[in-house]
Amino acid sequence: MSEPSRTEPGGSWRRWLLAVVLVIAVGGAAAGGLVWRGGDGGGSDAEAKTSDVVVTSTPSAVAQVDAAAQSEAVDALLRRRADAVLRRDAAKFLADVDPTNAKLVAKQKELFANLVQFGFAKLSYEQDRAQFEQALEDKYGPSVYLVGVAMVYQIRGIDAQPVRTMVGYTFLPKAGRLVLIDDAHLDGALPPGSHLEPWDVGPVLVRRAPRALVVVEKGRTELAASILKDAVSAVKAVSREWSAGWKGSGVVIALDDRKVRTADYTVPKNAEDVLAMATNVYRTLPGEVETAGEEVGSYVVVNPAYRDDLDARHLAHEFTHVAAAPYGAYAPRWMVEGAAEYVELLPMDGEREMDLDRYRRTVRSKYLAKAKVMPDDRVFYKTMDSSYAIGWYAVDHLIDKYGAAKFAKLYQDLARKGFTQTQRDLVFTEQLGKTEAQLFTELKRG
């Protein structure tokens, strides 16, 4: 496809900018006869969480394994693993990997080389729930140890607080010590997106600036420099224009892989229509404490098909979603995308200024004149050209009439409370003295 036109707001490039903040949905069954259970082997099927995989086999008779000692040994190994990354000690990191498995050793070397580039201020690995699988016990004996592990990390200068992702490890005693024999067997049973962090999918190059970090394929130095420059410009723009006082950072993952974190560009609609997705980062993962998990930010994952189309304006759009994500998920879609559009189209370092007066006239004559209501959440992305345009126009109007600080307060309240139209109208009335429908009438009048 040709490069999207950037000569004026709107136009053919719009269909390539569908920013989606993805929420990991925990659920579903996995093959292999796994059953999640507590690290001490306790609990019952009746106590299992809704995210538990289906039990198709049961543990063998009591095995001659000291489960507590085994769990403690795994904890110690995981501490060594984290410490090795923080100290940039490759030998220590690989010391607990099965030396007879050349493929796994090579994969772990690659992982280590990736991890140390991110500059973690904090890193730890915490056992979640030990697992049982009959086929593994039949193959390795009762001392095999299969476990889900929470990787808890904080990238220096990027993450405001420690965040979590999930991996799955298989351990086995060999030659008198416990070693890692597999790091992928549990992937299918973990929450979607787990074990698909940028450091997991192949050799990477990480470049950073204050409040910005970019991940590309190893060796792509020019691409990294170009994206980092745009990311820095976009971070400045969002910090300047997002009146809620955003102090966060922008992470851009622009790899060849089509599945990274929860962004899946193997899905035909995503592959064709989506330039980038803002994927959630969690303090507690979905299903750990509560169903939805606790979001604390987002990382942007770029569609490799449109990586060359990326610019500072696109990133400003995505970083606006990043800035807004912690407030909640209930604001009207027209406001979510309209706010991102608003920031995207304002003056920005390194980008040509847009003719916004002309765009306002176009929106009024081409889209608003034909509309009867504000774009509905359920059909927003089915009519993207008009939905985005009207959303932008509404946000532009609100900020012009009430000011950026008032708009930010309205957005935050709707993001927290606007889970039904009734609730949204209560917020609109409290904040503006009018319902959403009355706001639309005001927009139509001009």
Side-chain angles (χ1 to χ4, degrees):
M1 294 185 181
S2 61
E3 183 174 343
S5 170
R6 302 296 305 185
T7 56
E8 63 179 71
S12 61
W13 58 271
R14 172 53 47 220
R15 71 187 189 90
W16 284 319
L17 188 59
L18 172 59
V20 180
V21 179
L22 296 179
V23 178
I24 296 177
V26 180
L34 299 173
V35 53
W36 292 112
R37 65 186 186 190
D40 60 358
S44 66
D45 293 345
E47 295 169 334
K49 295 181 180 180
T50 56
S51 58
D52 291 350
V53 294
V54 176
V55 180
T56 58
S57 57
T58 56
S60 58
V62 177
Q64 299 302 309
V65 175
D66 185 333
Q70 192 177 42
S71 180
E72 289 175 5
V74 169
D75 282 339
L77 187 155
L78 294 175
R79 286 194 296 271
R80 292 194 297 272
R81 188 174 181 84
D83 186 65
V85 174
L86 294 175
R87 294 177 181 273
R88 307 175 76 88
D89 187 338
K92 184 176 181 179
F93 187 81
L94 296 171
D96 294 310
V97 180
D98 182 4
T100 68
N101 188 335
K103 184 176 180 180
L104 180 62
V105 170
K107 186 178 178 182
Q108 290 291 303
K109 283 182 178 178
E110 179 183 279
L111 174 61
F112 178 82
N114 286 346
L115 288 172
V116 295
Q117 294 185 68
F118 282 83
F120 294 110
K122 297 179 181 179
L123 177 65
S124 63
Y125 294 92
E126 301 174 358
Q127 289 192 65
D128 181 30
R129 288 167 286 181
Q131 312 302 312
F132 171 77
E133 185 178 354
Q134 188 65 56
L136 280 182
E137 185 167 309
D138 291 344
K139 181 176 181 179
Y140 295 111
S143 59
V144 68
Y145 193 90
L146 182 66
V147 63
V149 173
M151 177 182 174
V152 185
Y153 66 90
Q154 183 176 13
I155 302 174
R156 183 176 289 104
I158 298 297
D159 300 312
Q161 60 181 280
V163 296
R164 300 166 78 85
T165 188
M166 287 293 296
V167 295
Y169 290 147
T170 309
F171 300 100
L172 188 69
K174 281 194 172 186
R177 65 190 182 93
L178 198 67
V179 293
L180 177 71
I181 64 169
D182 184 273
D183 67 351
H185 188 79
L186 270 180
D187 285 0
L190 297 173
S194 294
H195 213 59
L196 285 172
E197 295 291 349
W199 46 77
D200 290 318
V201 295
V204 302
L205 172 67
V206 178
R207 289 290 183 264
R208 61 191 303 154
R211 298 180 63 193
L213 183 144
V214 171
V215 188
V216 298
E217 250 72 33
K218 182 179 180 180
R220 301 294 300 275
T221 55
E222 291 184 8
L223 176 65
S226 175
I227 296 176
L228 186 60
K229 180 181 178 181
D230 286 339
V232 169
S233 177
V235 166
K236 289 180 180 177
V238 177
S239 299
R240 181 175 63 247
E241 305 298 346
W242 185 251
S243 64
W246 186 56
K247 304 296 184 183
S249 300
V251 174
V252 185
I253 303 165
L255 298 169
D256 291 340
D257 299 83
R258 295 192 294 163
K259 294 178 73 172
V260 182
R261 309 197 82 246
T262 48
D264 186 354
Y265 295 116
T266 65
V267 176
K269 183 169 180 58
N270 290 348
E272 181 181 353
D273 293 336
V274 182
L275 187 147
M277 294 183 181
T279 61
N280 288 337
V281 180
Y282 292 91
R283 190 180 75 82
T284 59
L285 289 164
E288 277 192 312
V289 179
E290 54 190 17
T291 301
E294 183 179 348
E295 304 166 24
V296 292
S298 301
Y299 298 163
V300 174
V301 181
V302 180
N303 185 344
Y306 301 131
R307 190 165 46 194
D308 292 340
D309 298 327
L310 196 66
D311 61 20
R313 291 195 180 280
H314 288 131
L315 290 178
H317 183 115
E318 297 302 327
F319 291 165
T320 303
H321 289 306
V322 172
Y327 301 130
Y330 299 118
R333 183 55 48 185
W334 65 260
M335 182 174 285
V336 172
E337 296 296 353
E341 286 282 276
Y342 178 83
V343 175
E344 176 187 347
L345 299 181
L346 290 175
M348 194 174 304
D349 293 349
E351 297 292 329
R352 183 190 310 175
E353 289 196 21
M354 301 295 191
D355 187 346
L356 295 183
D357 285 337
R358 178 182 176 186
Y359 188 40
R360 290 184 186 96
R361 293 193 297 271
T362 298
V363 174
R364 287 196 59 81
S365 62
K366 187 175 181 180
Y367 301 116
L368 195 57
K370 300 175 184 178
K372 297 181 179 179
V373 293
M374 293 297 292
D376 186 88
D377 289 359
R378 294 165 296 181
V379 298
F380 186 93
Y381 295 119
K382 293 180 181 179
T383 56
M384 286 197 294
D385 283 351
S386 61
S387 295
Y388 273 85
I390 294 173
W392 170 83
Y393 189 90
V395 171
D396 182 62
H397 170 81
L398 287 169
I399 292 176
D400 181 64
K401 182 172 182 176
Y402 298 100
K406 181 72 172 180
F407 172 76
K409 179 65 166 59
L410 175 65
Y411 187 111
Q412 291 175 35
D413 283 357
L414 286 167
R416 287 192 299 265
K417 306 172 185 176
F419 44 86
T420 67
Q421 188 58 53
T422 299
Q423 291 289 68
R424 289 177 178 179
D425 281 333
L426 285 173
V427 173
F428 273 110
T429 301
E430 179 182 276
Q431 294 285 333
L432 306 181
K434 57 177 69 73
T435 65
E436 186 175 343
Q438 289 169 333
L439 170 63
F440 178 75
T441 300
E442 183 174 288
L443 295 176
K444 292 276 281 188
R445 284 200 306 264

